[in-house]
Amino acid sequence: MRTHSKETQNNLNPDTALEILKEGNQRFVNNLKANRNLLQQVNETSAGQFPFATILSCIDSRTSAELIFDQGLGDVFSIRIAGNILNEDILGSMEFGTKVVGTKIIVVLGHTKCGAIVGACNHVELGNLTTLLNKIQPAIAKEKSVTDNRTGTNVEFVNKVIDIHVTLTIDRIRRESPIIAELEEQGTIKIIGALYDVETGQVSFYE
Ligand SMILES: [Zn+2]
């Protein structure tokens, strides 16, 4: 598998970038990891990086973007924080990834059995985690369909909150980053949500 160069990055568009991620996840779930010499990629990326995707995912130890999309060094900007929440530092990182470095797609990747979402659904309060989990509350407030047991023990409820949280995060990216919104309007980038299933390894994109 080739390391991305300025040329290969330039030849991609948002749709082909999405295809690369889909193909990578298919290899991952089929255990067909691409042949990649990481040490060689250290050399090939030493003078510069030309990644094609910016991915916001959870710190969960099962959801490493490079692994689940079968990518190598220099392929993706991987932004990871508990519950794939958004703040202005993360928006700044996304602006760097897209406007400055030229990635073609932003993926907001939630995942099943997310401890942060479960914690938020249970209104856990613990040190600095309280502030972080509060950023998930808007998704809980927006979930109106579940009336019984609106807690982290209700998998159906948690799954709905996970989906809404991804959607709200994408809305906020567009609203709070005029730079990214403009890139999307121009068709330079695509912003897409997705869900990683920790039981199957499969990523489902929200299209
Ligand atoms: Zn998580």
Side-chain angles (χ1 to χ4, degrees), residues 53-145:
T54 298
I55 302 168
L56 171 61
S57 61
C58 184
I59 59 168
D60 192 293
S61 62
R62 299 164 290 186
T63 63
S64 163
E66 290 86 343
L67 293 176
I68 66 178
F69 289 113
D70 189 28
Q71 299 300 311
L73 293 186
D75 289 335
V76 298
F77 280 120
S78 189
I79 306 170
R80 297 185 64 185
I81 189 158
N84 39 274
I85 58 107
L86 197 67
N87 63 27
E88 62 183 5
D89 302 316
I90 290 165
L91 274 173
S93 301
M94 289 176 170
E95 288 169 354
F96 177 73
T98 51
K99 182 77 177 179
V100 180
V101 184
T103 59
K104 310 295 180 191
I105 189 167
I106 293 175
V107 180
V108 177
L109 182 67
H111 71 96
T112 59
K113 302 191 177 178
C114 180
I117 304 282
V118 169
C121 290
N122 287 333
H123 301 279
V124 166
E125 293 191 3
L126 176 74
N128 292 289
L129 195 52
T130 305
T131 309
L132 187 151
L133 295 183
N134 278 341
K135 294 187 163 71
I136 300 168
Q137 287 303 323
I140 294 171
K142 196 166 183 198
E143 203 300 305
K144 310 270 191 213
S145 68

